[in-house]
Short mmCIF file of all heavy atoms in Angstrom, two decimals:
data_model
loop_
_atom_site.label_atom_id
_atom_site.label_comp_id
_atom_site.label_asym_id
_atom_site.label_seq_id
_atom_site.Cartn_x
_atom_site.Cartn_y
_atom_site.Cartn_z
N ASP A 102 -13.22 4.01 14.53
CA ASP A 102 -14.10 3.07 13.86
C ASP A 102 -13.24 2.18 12.95
O ASP A 102 -12.14 2.55 12.56
CB ASP A 102 -15.16 3.80 13.04
CG ASP A 102 -16.21 4.48 13.92
OD1 ASP A 102 -16.41 4.02 15.07
OD2 ASP A 102 -16.82 5.45 13.45
N VAL A 103 -13.78 1.01 12.60
CA VAL A 103 -13.01 0.03 11.83
C VAL A 103 -13.44 0.00 10.37
O VAL A 103 -14.63 -0.03 10.07
CB VAL A 103 -13.16 -1.37 12.45
CG1 VAL A 103 -12.44 -2.42 11.63
CG2 VAL A 103 -12.65 -1.37 13.88
N ILE A 104 -12.46 0.00 9.49
CA ILE A 104 -12.68 -0.14 8.06
C ILE A 104 -12.23 -1.55 7.68
O ILE A 104 -11.17 -2.00 8.11
CB ILE A 104 -11.87 0.91 7.27
CG1 ILE A 104 -12.32 2.32 7.64
CG2 ILE A 104 -11.97 0.66 5.78
CD1 ILE A 104 -11.42 3.41 7.08
N SER A 105 -13.02 -2.24 6.88
CA SER A 105 -12.64 -3.55 6.37
C SER A 105 -11.85 -3.36 5.08
O SER A 105 -12.33 -2.70 4.15
CB SER A 105 -13.90 -4.38 6.12
OG SER A 105 -13.55 -5.59 5.50
N VAL A 106 -10.63 -3.91 5.00
CA VAL A 106 -9.77 -3.77 3.83
C VAL A 106 -9.42 -5.16 3.31
O VAL A 106 -9.06 -6.05 4.08
CB VAL A 106 -8.48 -3.00 4.17
CG1 VAL A 106 -7.62 -2.79 2.92
CG2 VAL A 106 -8.78 -1.67 4.85
N SER A 107 -9.53 -5.34 1.99
CA SER A 107 -9.20 -6.63 1.37
C SER A 107 -8.60 -6.40 -0.02
O SER A 107 -8.61 -5.29 -0.53
CB SER A 107 -10.44 -7.51 1.27
OG SER A 107 -11.39 -6.93 0.40
N SER A 108 -8.10 -7.48 -0.60
CA SER A 108 -7.58 -7.44 -1.96
C SER A 108 -7.97 -8.74 -2.65
O SER A 108 -7.93 -9.80 -2.01
CB SER A 108 -6.06 -7.30 -1.97
OG SER A 108 -5.56 -7.42 -3.30
N PRO A 109 -8.32 -8.70 -3.92
CA PRO A 109 -8.59 -9.94 -4.64
C PRO A 109 -7.30 -10.71 -4.96
O PRO A 109 -7.36 -11.85 -5.41
CB PRO A 109 -9.28 -9.47 -5.92
CG PRO A 109 -8.85 -8.06 -6.10
CD PRO A 109 -8.61 -7.51 -4.72
N GLN A 110 -6.13 -10.12 -4.66
CA GLN A 110 -4.85 -10.75 -5.00
C GLN A 110 -4.15 -11.43 -3.83
O GLN A 110 -3.27 -12.26 -4.05
CB GLN A 110 -3.91 -9.73 -5.63
CG GLN A 110 -4.42 -9.18 -6.94
CD GLN A 110 -4.63 -10.26 -7.98
OE1 GLN A 110 -3.85 -11.20 -8.09
NE2 GLN A 110 -5.71 -10.16 -8.74
N PHE A 111 -4.49 -11.07 -2.60
CA PHE A 111 -3.90 -11.74 -1.43
C PHE A 111 -4.77 -11.48 -0.21
O PHE A 111 -5.52 -10.53 -0.16
CB PHE A 111 -2.45 -11.26 -1.18
CG PHE A 111 -2.31 -9.83 -0.75
CD1 PHE A 111 -2.13 -9.49 0.59
CD2 PHE A 111 -2.33 -8.80 -1.68
CE1 PHE A 111 -2.00 -8.18 0.98
CE2 PHE A 111 -2.20 -7.47 -1.31
CZ PHE A 111 -2.03 -7.16 0.04
N ARG A 112 -4.67 -12.40 0.75
CA ARG A 112 -5.42 -12.29 2.00
C ARG A 112 -4.53 -11.72 3.09
O ARG A 112 -3.31 -11.80 3.01
CB ARG A 112 -5.93 -13.66 2.43
CG ARG A 112 -6.98 -14.20 1.52
CD ARG A 112 -7.43 -15.55 2.00
NE ARG A 112 -8.34 -16.10 1.01
CZ ARG A 112 -9.34 -16.87 1.30
NH1 ARG A 112 -9.57 -17.23 2.54
NH2 ARG A 112 -10.13 -17.31 0.35
N ASP A 113 -5.16 -11.20 4.13
CA ASP A 113 -4.43 -10.66 5.26
C ASP A 113 -3.49 -11.74 5.82
O ASP A 113 -3.91 -12.86 6.08
CB ASP A 113 -5.41 -10.19 6.35
CG ASP A 113 -4.71 -9.39 7.42
OD1 ASP A 113 -4.04 -8.39 7.09
OD2 ASP A 113 -4.82 -9.76 8.61
N GLY A 114 -2.23 -11.39 5.97
CA GLY A 114 -1.24 -12.33 6.51
C GLY A 114 -0.54 -13.16 5.46
O GLY A 114 0.46 -13.82 5.76
N ASP A 115 -1.04 -13.17 4.22
CA ASP A 115 -0.39 -13.90 3.13
C ASP A 115 0.75 -13.05 2.57
O ASP A 115 0.79 -11.84 2.76
CB ASP A 115 -1.37 -14.18 2.00
CG ASP A 115 -2.34 -15.31 2.32
OD1 ASP A 115 -2.17 -15.98 3.35
OD2 ASP A 115 -3.27 -15.51 1.51
N PRO A 116 1.65 -13.68 1.80
CA PRO A 116 2.70 -12.90 1.14
C PRO A 116 2.14 -11.97 0.07
O PRO A 116 1.12 -12.28 -0.55
CB PRO A 116 3.59 -13.96 0.49
CG PRO A 116 3.26 -15.23 1.18
CD PRO A 116 1.82 -15.11 1.60
N LEU A 117 2.84 -10.86 -0.15
CA LEU A 117 2.50 -9.95 -1.24
C LEU A 117 2.94 -10.62 -2.54
O LEU A 117 4.09 -11.05 -2.65
CB LEU A 117 3.24 -8.62 -1.06
CG LEU A 117 2.99 -7.55 -2.12
CD1 LEU A 117 1.55 -7.03 -2.02
CD2 LEU A 117 3.99 -6.41 -1.95
N PRO A 118 2.06 -10.78 -3.51
CA PRO A 118 2.48 -11.35 -4.79
C PRO A 118 3.65 -10.55 -5.37
O PRO A 118 3.65 -9.32 -5.36
CB PRO A 118 1.24 -11.24 -5.67
CG PRO A 118 0.10 -11.28 -4.69
CD PRO A 118 0.61 -10.49 -3.50
N SER A 119 4.65 -11.24 -5.88
CA SER A 119 5.89 -10.59 -6.32
C SER A 119 5.68 -9.56 -7.42
O SER A 119 6.48 -8.64 -7.57
CB SER A 119 6.92 -11.63 -6.76
OG SER A 119 6.43 -12.36 -7.87
N GLY A 120 4.60 -9.67 -8.19
CA GLY A 120 4.32 -8.69 -9.23
C GLY A 120 4.10 -7.29 -8.70
O GLY A 120 4.27 -6.30 -9.42
#
Side-chain angles (χ1 to χ4, degrees):
D102 288 336
V103 177
I104 298 171
S105 174
V106 183
S107 64
S108 174
Q110 297 300 321
F111 67 100
R112 291 180 186 213
D113 191 55
D115 284 352
L117 180 69
S119 62

